[in-house]
Amino acid sequence: MKNIRNFSIIAHIDHGKSTLADRLLEYTKTVGGKEMQNQVLDDMDLERERGITIKSHAIQMDYVQDGEQYTLNLIDTPGHVDFSYEVSRSIAACEGCLLIVDATQGVQAQTISNLYLALDNDLEIIPVINKIDMDSAHPDEVEDEIVELIGCDPEDIIRASARTGEGIPEILRAIVERIPAPKGDPEAPLQALIFDSVFNPFRGIIVYFKVMNGTIHKGDLVKFVNTEREYDVDELGILKLNLEPKQKVSAGNVGYIISGIKNSAEVRVGDTITHTARPCSKAISGFQEVKPMVFAGVYPIDPEDFENLRTSLEKLQLNDAALTFSPESSVALGFGFRCGFLGLLHMEIVQERLSREFNMEVITTVPNVSYKVYDKKGVETEVHNPAGLPDPTLIEKIEEPYIHSSIITLSEYMGPIITLCLSKRGVLTKQEYISGNRLELSFDIPLGEIVIDFYDKLKSISKGYASFDYYISSYRESKLIKLDILLNGQPVDALSSLTHVDNAVSLGRRMCEKLKELIPRQQYDIAIQAAIGAKIVARETVKQVRKDVTAKCYGGDVSRKRKLLEKQKAGKKRMKQIGTVQVPQKAFLAVLKLD
């Protein structure tokens, strides 16, 4: 056990984690020849196309130093704020981590938040400055920032280039010398932490775990503590590039188990595996429960696909524990699910994965956040959907979630960023210079204001130089009202939204104008209205397509033409009574990008 090292790689998005992991695998000869490619651990097409890591990936390397053989378990993690739950799970299975900082960009918001996650778990931190071969690199300044951030000695910081391979031997030596070996007793009762799982259509659910205490053998009868289910260990092994079967996995090591589990509800990330015959005294105090930030309705385009969508979401949830869902129905869209996501990128990725991996085409409604609604008797209810809001006469007050955000940027972009945050009802709480012309701005902003297009706007006004990180701080009372969209007098619940009273009229007007462009014309007028309660605050009309019924009249008495027009008018009136207006999918998406 003294020769095992478990470590993860953490950094801000695009600071070179996956490339560094490639070099480590190459140097230790874990991967070579035809298997070697860029982003070797990112096995989803989506990850390669976007150049981001979405899932944490575990892999074992063998490394020889000073004539002694070491086993290194590496877990590569995502860098985007929407996937920070993946990072927290990886950190729970490690004793140390590499903190990567880009030599051209310096310390960014997600670097700091991931660092705090690692410090909370008492991990040994090895700081690495990456991309020192770039022309625009300024490693000395970045070194000063890191020293100020974590209080280490400048000699502890390793300078490397994941592209050229410079500094890789020093990183491996530091991993062996600085990161402590895992603690644990191979003879004690089995205690293993589940940190991930994937669904395989032929083998069932493959569970990834880290053994804290004890030893697990092939053929053992094991029990999952929280779900109280028992299974036989059909196959057991370690995680190389492919799964590598073994007869046993002991304390301190990371591995996988296959027991023919078919039902996704039986496996929970953070659960403890133990032996049935000799159970451990208590479960591992595992992960914090994931708290979704953004909620949206996901509906199948064909109502008959409802059960297929449920199965697809269950399988996806195994691989992405941060996704939550529960059934709901909508008048406009039929039966579907109310899904909880960690952010907008997470929502986009889930939608894309449903389409690619499960062939499910879905409609996603306008995303919103959860609100606390108090009635006149003081009873609190949590509302995720504007349709679930009680009658306004019964509501005493509504509280919305506020986030504490940290924005790191260059001083020249400070003005536009403060203007943007204030326009989103933000309050500036702190402003301090980190080094040179880089500063950190802290804001308290309502979460509902940032879920749609805040991140895109921040990136565009700062020319990509602002990094953003946040956490939920509290719920505060706000003047919120429900804005309904009516089509020919009928409310479309999927387009309803909860908004601040100051923004309601302008939002209603913009939504009506946008829907007028997108809803196809019919043979009768379509009235699009925005309403707050019974009061209409905006209206647009999609004009009818006129069919020329008098075209066949050549000459003759005018009464013949009038008779035909009256007949047409009566038909249109009847059509309007029974006609339903189809809202196209792009209308739901366009509402997200209103500006």
Side-chain angles (χ1 to χ4, degrees):
M1 221 170 97
K2 70 179 192 338
N3 286 6
I4 296 175
R5 300 288 182 272
N6 300 316
F7 70 99
S8 61
I9 301 182
I10 58 174
H12 189 80
I13 189 166
D14 212 21
H15 279 205
K17 293 176 300 301
S18 298
T19 315
L20 188 79
D22 290 352
R23 292 295 83 74
L24 292 173
L25 295 173
E26 206 171 42
Y27 193 85
T28 55
K29 299 185 172 58
T30 308
V31 179
K34 284 189 284 188
E35 290 172 333
M36 195 62 220
Q37 55 180 330
N38 287 340
Q39 286 178 265
V40 71
L41 292 180
D42 294 347
D43 47 16
M44 269 186 247
D45 293 342
L46 207 53
E47 292 179 311
R48 297 182 175 287
E49 283 168 26
R50 291 177 177 239
I52 59 173
T53 304
I54 294 166
K55 282 287 302 157
S56 295
H57 297 275
I59 191 165
Q60 192 172 100
M61 304 181 280
D62 295 320
Y63 170 62
V64 178
Q65 181 176 306
D66 303 333
E68 221 172 318
Q69 174 110 3
Y70 290 90
T71 299
L72 310 181
N73 288 310
L74 154 70
I75 305 179
D76 182 25
T77 63
H80 195 280
V81 63
D82 278 13
F83 302 109
S84 54
Y85 183 65
E86 290 281 333
V87 181
S88 71
R89 287 162 50 188
S90 308
I91 283 173
C94 294
E95 281 80 37
C97 67
L98 297 178
L99 179 74
I100 312 294
V101 181
D102 188 331
T104 62
Q105 296 180 45
V107 171
Q108 305 243 289
Q110 198 62 19
T111 316
I112 296 171
S113 91
N114 284 342
L115 171 70
Y116 288 151
L117 269 178
L119 290 173
D120 287 346
N121 285 273
D122 294 331
L123 298 199
E124 179 63 39
I125 290 155
I126 300 173
V128 177
I129 299 178
N130 190 21
K131 305 190 186 179
I132 58 166
D133 59 314
M134 303 278 279
D135 295 336
S136 55
H138 39 85
D140 295 337
E141 288 173 35
V142 175
E143 190 172 274
D144 294 341
E145 287 177 25
I146 295 172
V147 170
E148 199 172 315
L149 181 66
I150 59 178
C152 63
D153 293 326
E155 302 80 61
D156 295 343
I157 300 171
I158 300 169
R159 298 190 180 192
S161 165
R163 196 173 56 155
T164 63
E166 186 183 339
I168 300 298
E170 288 84 352
I171 290 172
L172 285 163
R173 181 167 285 279
I175 289 166
V176 169
E177 290 172 359
R178 294 196 220 166
I179 294 176
K183 297 179 177 69
D185 180 4
E187 304 304 319
L190 176 67
Q191 232 187 358
L193 175 74
I194 298 174
F195 68 88
D196 206 355
S197 57
V198 290
F199 182 79
N200 183 306
F202 307 107
R203 314 283 314 264
I205 293 161
I206 302 171
V207 177
Y208 296 163
F209 62 87
K210 181 194 175 187
V211 185
M212 299 297 191
N213 284 303
T215 304
I216 182 168
H217 295 81
K218 186 178 177 184
D220 283 354
L221 183 65
V222 295
K223 175 180 168 185
F224 288 15
V225 176
N226 285 349
T227 54
E228 297 188 342
R229 300 292 185 109
E230 295 182 0
Y231 308 99
D232 286 312
V233 180
D234 298 335
E235 188 183 306
L236 174 78
I238 56 170
L239 304 159
K240 292 281 192 174
L241 191 58
N242 301 311
L243 305 178
E244 194 171 289
K246 296 279 182 197
Q247 287 303 311
K248 66 171 187 177
V249 177
S250 291
N253 220 336
V254 175
Y256 72 92
I257 176 175
I258 299 175
S259 345
I261 307 169
K262 293 285 187 286
N263 183 0
S264 57
E266 295 172 28
V267 178
R268 288 195 194 144
V269 166
D271 202 349
T272 305
I273 305 174
T274 189
H275 282 130
T276 309
R278 190 178 164 220
C280 56
S281 54
K282 66 178 197 315
I284 300 163
S285 52
F287 304 108
Q288 73 275 34
E289 273 294 302
V290 58
K291 291 200 74 172
M293 304 290 180
V294 177
F295 294 86
V298 174
Y299 294 85
I301 285 177
D302 183 349
E304 290 175 6
D305 284 338
F306 175 71
E307 279 306 322
N308 294 348
L309 179 59
R310 183 199 293 274
T311 312
S312 305
L313 284 169
E314 281 173 357
K315 289 176 182 173
L316 194 56
Q317 196 178 33
L318 274 174
N319 200 239
D320 182 356
L323 171 68
T324 59
F325 63 92
S326 56
E328 72 164 6
S329 62
S330 152
V331 179
L333 300 169
F335 290 101
F337 294 93
R338 167 103 338 211
C339 295
F341 308 96
L342 291 183
L344 270 192
L345 177 69
H346 186 210
M347 178 174 120
E348 202 180 312
I349 295 292
V350 166
Q351 208 174 335
E352 189 79 24
R353 286 183 71 185
L354 281 172
S355 167
R356 291 184 185 207
E357 295 172 30
F358 304 100
N359 231 0
M360 288 297 312
E361 294 301 329
V362 294
I363 290 174
T364 310
T365 63
V366 181
N368 48 41
V369 297
S370 62
Y371 298 91
K372 287 181 179 173
V373 179
Y374 294 86
D375 63 15
K376 300 275 198 234
K377 295 174 185 170
V379 179
E380 176 196 317
T381 48
E382 200 166 273
V383 175
H384 301 314
N385 188 346
L389 204 65
D391 189 274
T393 55
L394 304 174
I395 296 173
E396 179 65 35
K397 61 175 182 175
I398 302 176
E399 290 185 351
E400 63 176 334
Y402 266 70
I403 59 159
H404 184 73
S405 64
S406 158
I407 299 170
I408 295 179
T409 185
L410 300 177
S411 52
E412 62 207 74
Y413 304 117
M414 184 171 90
I417 288 174
I418 291 177
T419 307
L420 171 69
C421 294
L422 294 179
S423 73
K424 298 286 185 184
R425 296 191 283 131
V427 178
L428 181 64
T429 56
K430 192 175 77 171
Q431 172 183 333
E432 65 177 340
Y433 279 84
I434 301 171
S435 63
N437 65 341
R438 288 157 54 82
L439 78 160
E440 181 180 2
L441 300 168
S442 296
F443 283 91
D444 285 346
I445 309 177
L447 180 61
E449 293 283 348
I450 68 152
V451 295
I452 294 178
D453 58 355
F454 178 80
Y455 197 62
D456 296 345
K457 284 183 178 172
L458 181 68
K459 282 291 179 194
S460 59
I461 63 175
S462 66
K463 301 188 172 64
Y465 274 105
S467 61
F468 177 64
D469 184 53
Y470 64 89
Y471 60 87
I472 294 279
S473 60
S474 60
Y475 277 78
R476 300 185 194 175
E477 189 178 339
S478 291
K479 287 184 176 176
L480 298 171
I481 47 176
K482 183 181 172 190
L483 181 73
D484 286 314
I485 298 294
L486 315 177
L487 295 180
N488 278 346
Q490 296 298 315
V492 181
D493 54 353
L495 288 172
S496 299
S497 58
L498 268 176
T499 182
H500 194 265
V501 67
D502 297 344
N503 304 338
V505 175
S506 65
L507 178 67
R509 200 168 288 139
R510 296 200 323 258
M511 283 175 88
C512 289
E513 286 166 5
K514 197 75 181 172
L515 288 169
K516 183 185 176 184
E517 295 169 21
L518 294 165
I519 290 175
R521 289 167 73 189
Q522 308 287 342
Q523 291 200 353
Y524 52 88
D525 283 353
I526 301 170
I528 305 166
Q529 295 166 309
I532 298 169
K535 183 184 174 189
I536 304 295
V537 293
R539 171 180 171 135
E540 294 287 338
T541 307
V542 179
K543 285 293 180 194
Q544 63 189 19
V545 181
R546 185 172 176 274
K547 183 180 175 186
D548 190 0
V549 287
T550 59
K552 60 188 176 187
C553 298
Y554 46 95
D557 188 12
V558 73
S559 60
R560 282 185 64 203
K561 291 185 181 179
R562 194 170 291 130
K563 189 176 166 188
L564 286 169
L565 289 167
E566 289 297 330
K567 193 177 172 188
Q568 183 189 33
K569 195 174 177 183
K572 284 195 174 179
K573 199 172 181 182
R574 192 170 66 249
M575 192 190 286
K576 194 171 184 175
Q577 283 171 355
I578 58 169
T580 56
V581 182
Q582 294 295 324
V583 183
Q585 161 70 354
K586 62 183 177 193
F588 292 106
L589 298 176
V591 171
L592 306 188
K593 298 193 168 65
L594 277 178
D595 204 20

